[in-house]
Amino acid sequence: MALEETIELENAVKAALEMTEREDTLIIVTADHGHAVTMSGYPERGNPILGFVKNIERGNFVNNTENQAQPYTTIGYANGPGFDFHFDKNIGFWKDIENENYMSNNFVQMATFYLD
């Protein structure tokens, strides 16, 4: 969603620039809120931006409570609803997302902290 919002902001600025004269117009862009999008760890060049990071040889993974390597999402939010989707409160650790379909419309990107 954040990427889509960024594209829409770009389209809005582009439309404003097309409707005005740059010589006599100052366009100021602000945000009314923020949900910091983060790029996690060290994904390799070409790694899907909406995908997962897991490269055993380079050490790009997280160890779960059983010391097994599991992936994490390339991007995530600092806070948001993705926390509940990905964090297992029963074991106090992230759920294994290896078999999740990150291209599904129902997939929610990871979030470090819960946000109402």
Side-chain angles (χ1 to χ4, degrees), residues 49-113:
I49 193 70
L50 297 177
F52 301 143
V53 176
K54 182 179 178 185
N55 184 319
I56 304 299
E57 295 79 34
R58 294 187 67 190
N60 297 341
F61 56 88
V62 294
N63 281 327
N64 64 18
T65 57
E66 297 169 0
N67 207 30
Q68 297 170 328
Q70 68 185 47
Y72 54 88
T73 57
T74 306
I75 62 170
Y77 285 94
N79 54 42
F83 181 82
D84 281 341
F85 186 82
H86 293 281
F87 192 79
D88 186 336
K89 294 177 183 174
N90 294 323
I91 63 170
F93 199 75
W94 303 104
K95 298 174 185 174
D96 187 352
I97 57 173
E98 185 136 22
N99 296 315
E100 293 286 339
N101 178 3
Y102 61 81
M103 294 303 291
S104 166
N105 287 336
N106 296 324
F107 184 79
V108 180
Q109 293 294 329
M110 294 180 94
T112 308
F113 300 99

Side-chain angles (χ1 to χ4, degrees), residues 10-73:
E10 180 182 7
N11 291 338
V13 171
K14 187 183 213 180
L17 289 170
E18 291 171 355
M19 295 168 43
T20 59
E21 297 294 326
R22 290 185 182 199
E23 294 79 27
D24 60 5
T25 304
L26 172 64
I27 296 176
I28 299 174
V29 179
T30 64
D32 65 347
H33 68 285
H35 298 283
V37 176
T38 60
M39 183 163 294
S40 304
Y42 297 96
E44 295 180 30
R45 185 176 297 267
N47 193 80
I49 193 70
L50 297 177
F52 301 143
V53 176
K54 182 179 178 185
N55 184 319
I56 304 299
E57 295 79 34
R58 294 187 67 190
N60 297 341
F61 56 88
V62 294
N63 281 327
N64 64 18
T65 57
E66 297 169 0
N67 207 30
Q68 297 170 328
Q70 68 185 47
Y72 54 88
T73 57

